Amino acid sequence: MKIRIEHDRCRGAGQCTLTAPELFDQSDDDGTVVLLNEQPPPELQARARLAASLCPNSVIRIVDDPDP
């Protein structure tokens, strides 16, 4: 799994940071998402998917690796 972010669409709602603070943070400058780990370990993948589903601007995209 890889996480991709569309920074230009982020409005800084912060749902990702609240849902998975191990994976996401917010910029001190403008509040937009900062990706901390683009390849989360298996134990954080469900939280990454939840954060993506909760993002009001659909900024977070989950890409499943073609090879397990």
Side-chain angles (χ1 to χ4, degrees):
M1 162 190 278
K2 290 186 182 179
I3 301 172
R4 298 286 184 234
I5 303 291
E6 294 183 49
H7 290 281
D8 59 325
R9 295 182 52 204
C10 182
R11 300 295 178 253
Q15 293 301 311
C16 56
T17 304
L18 293 172
T19 304
E22 306 89 350
L23 301 174
F24 305 99
D25 199 356
Q26 287 183 274
S27 167
D28 290 335
D29 294 330
D30 59 7
T32 58
V33 64
V34 174
L35 182 59
L36 300 177
N37 186 348
E38 77 170 11
Q39 293 185 320
E43 63 271 14
L44 293 177
Q45 290 182 5
R47 291 179 71 182
R49 290 183 194 282
L50 179 59
S53 73
L54 293 174
C55 180
N57 292 324
S58 301
V59 170
I60 303 167
R61 186 168 55 98
I62 304 297
V63 179
D64 290 312
D65 293 330
D67 298 321

